[in-house]
Amino acid sequence: MNAARRHRLLALTLAWLATRAGMLLLLAYNGLPLLGHGGVAREVWRLYHHWYGVLAHGAFPAHDPLWQYPPGAGPVLLAPALLPDLTYFQAFVVLTLATDAVITLTLARAGTRPGHSLRGAAYWIACLPLLLHMPLVRYDVQVTAFAVISLLTLSRSTRVCGAFAALGALVKVWPALVLLGMPRGRTTRSVWSWAVGTGALSLMSLMVLLNNPFAFLRQQGGRGVQIESLGGTALGLATHVGWPGQVHYRYGAMEFTGPYVSTVADASLALTAVAFGLLLWWRLRARRWTDATPYDAALSAVLLFTVTSRVISPQYMIWLLGLAAVCLTSRHTTQRAVAALIVAATAVSSVEFPVLYLDVIHSTWTGCALMFVRNGLLAAAAVLSFVRLWRSSRPLPATTHARVQSPGPYGESQPLASAHSGA
């Protein structure tokens, strides 16, 4: 390793230590009004800790309407028991920081490979603190780690790639979307085989160890339109033209109730189905893969499903930051502009929650403007991401095809990087 690279890695290490110290400081003062009056951290010491007590007795919290997570969430919430000398809250934060460090290290190692870049690690280090202290008290960092490791181990081990995607999906479903961009042929067969095998074995183990593993499905089915979703933004604006709906705390989130809410919820589900159809269409029509295509496809898929969801909680930005960071480790990614839009949306999210969350709850003009901007940025990022993914995987014109010089990392013929970098 040359001196310049060592200096860059040292700078990244110091940046990680400084930014995470700042996040811990914010967590120490999370009772301040601008930091949410303690509400951000409450989810761990009250809700997660309560679930921990139920899980420790051998069952999922089947009768708790707030429990909406797949069975793999159980071991994550039980993990603080590995640090018995700490309180549950302290252990959870320590494990989250350790997972954050693993993500950073994985991105940095990927960035040192030939044809790759340390931009991904720098992006993750610099942008996660935009969410203030919230990432430290949600288990979305752990979920993101599964997706990041899955994607960045693809070129070295399809078995590890498939296994981590399956484990992530058991924790919070969405990491399964990283499998959509796997190159055709042997790579796809191996990744999917290991994903299915690992997922089935892990699920059976959890079914043996804990009762009521599928109770979360009942709670998920009852969810409505959360105030921070795209549909929620439309309903919030509608209150200013006479719509009589109200906001209530349901299923662990602030949701709209009133006329036409079910219609908006159904429309969101329909848009999610359309997004899935678009991704399948891309998969069937794609003809070119680079080392970045699986990364770009994963980001595009998660963006589309996030934007069309009935719920867009601030912690969802952690997923998008992690996947954008993975894309930026490759010099061939088409998602650089998308990554910039995600940063802007993340910055707005931290203002929306926790700083001005009451404005969002009461659908004031300020709250509506914040949600319009944040969700508009996410929608623009989703559209741009899919368009760039589509264009990057189309067949080359005959004149360009003649200049293809080398096979890609998965055996397919690849164009020169300059032909499709999509900077």
Side-chain angles (χ1 to χ4, degrees):
M1 185 184 298
N2 59 41
R5 179 160 288 177
R6 283 199 301 270
H7 291 155
R8 286 195 292 270
L9 290 173
L10 177 60
L12 289 176
T13 302
L14 294 175
W16 187 88
L17 291 171
T19 53
R20 275 44 183 183
M23 293 169 71
L24 284 171
L25 184 63
L26 291 174
L27 183 58
Y29 289 95
N30 96 108
L32 294 175
L34 287 178
L35 296 178
H37 294 280
V40 178
R42 190 180 298 126
E43 190 148 332
V44 174
W45 59 260
R46 179 179 292 180
L47 190 59
Y48 289 4
H49 192 203
H50 166 68
W51 288 339
Y52 168 84
V54 178
L55 290 163
H57 285 86
F60 290 96
H63 303 294
D64 188 343
L66 302 183
W67 178 256
Q68 302 153 23
Y69 307 106
V76 175
L77 297 176
L78 286 168
L82 297 172
L83 302 174
D85 294 333
L86 302 178
T87 67
Y88 183 86
F89 182 87
Q90 293 169 338
F92 185 91
V93 173
V94 168
L95 290 175
T96 303
L97 274 172
T99 307
D100 173 21
V102 169
I103 293 174
T104 305
L105 179 61
T106 304
L107 291 165
R109 288 192 62 184
T112 59
R113 299 175 194 164
H116 286 69
S117 170
L118 289 171
R119 289 191 188 97
Y123 180 91
W124 173 257
I125 291 170
C127 296
L128 189 66
L130 291 175
L131 292 169
L132 307 178
H133 54 301
M134 188 264 292
L136 299 179
V137 285
R138 297 292 186 275
Y139 77 88
D140 295 87
V141 170
Q142 288 87 326
V143 181
T144 302
F146 285 109
V148 169
I149 294 171
S150 173
L151 287 168
L152 291 178
T153 55
L154 172 61
S155 61
R156 299 184 177 219
S157 174
T158 54
R159 297 176 180 181
V160 175
C161 173
F164 270 88
L167 293 173
L170 280 176
V171 177
K172 217 166 189 180
V173 181
W174 70 262
L177 294 171
V178 306
L179 301 177
L180 281 172
M182 296 296 118
R184 290 196 183 97
R186 184 185 305 170
T187 300
T188 291
R189 290 193 296 272
S190 177
V191 170
W192 275 92
S193 296
W194 277 88
V196 171
T198 302
L201 183 61
S202 301
L203 181 58
M204 286 188 291
S205 300
L206 289 169
M207 290 172 65
V208 170
L209 295 172
L210 296 165
N211 295 324
N212 308 314
F214 301 109
F216 74 100
L217 294 173
R218 182 170 59 253
Q219 276 71 257
Q220 276 288 350
R223 298 200 73 164
V225 177
Q226 189 228 18
I227 59 175
E228 295 161 284
S229 67
L230 202 63
T233 301
L235 292 173
L237 289 169
T239 62
H240 292 277
V241 292
W243 180 66
Q246 295 181 327
V247 173
H248 293 283
Y249 185 74
R250 301 171 66 245
Y251 296 98
M254 303 304 294
E255 296 185 350
F256 278 109
T257 60
Y260 310 113
V261 170
S262 60
T263 302
V264 173
D266 291 342
S268 295
L269 291 173
L271 287 174
T272 299
V274 170
F276 186 67
L278 285 173
L279 291 165
L280 287 181
W281 188 29
W282 166 80
R283 174 80 190 181
L284 293 172
R285 299 294 298 274
R287 292 295 179 267
R288 288 189 294 141
W289 264 263
T290 70
D291 66 333
T293 302
Y295 310 161
D296 295 353
L299 178 59
S300 185
V302 176
L303 265 170
L304 286 169
F305 275 78
T306 298
V307 168
T308 59
S309 173
R310 293 173 294 171
V311 180
I312 308 180
S313 297
Q315 59 263 33
Y316 291 12
M317 303 306 301
I318 299 171
W319 318 344
L320 300 176
L321 289 173
L323 294 177
V326 170
C327 292
L328 293 177
T329 62
S330 173
R331 299 184 187 278
H332 298 162
T333 185
T334 63
Q335 304 292 305
R336 293 189 185 97
V338 176
L341 288 173
I342 290 171
V343 171
T346 301
V348 177
S349 289
S350 65
V351 178
E352 167 258 313
F353 180 86
V355 179
L356 295 178
Y357 194 51
L358 285 178
D359 285 278
V360 178
I361 291 175
H362 297 296
S363 298
T364 67
W365 280 114
T366 299
C368 288
L370 282 170
M371 296 319 310
F372 183 83
V373 172
R374 198 281 299 269
N375 290 338
L377 287 167
L378 286 179
V383 172
L384 180 62
S385 178
F386 183 75
V387 168
R388 290 199 165 195
L389 175 69
W390 179 273
R391 290 176 177 171
S392 70
S393 57
R394 298 304 300 147
L396 290 170
T399 54
T400 307
H401 187 72
R403 293 187 283 128
V404 173
Q405 296 185 358
S406 63
Y410 311 109
E412 301 86 352
S413 292
Q414 307 295 328
L416 295 174
S418 61
H420 60 89
S421 60

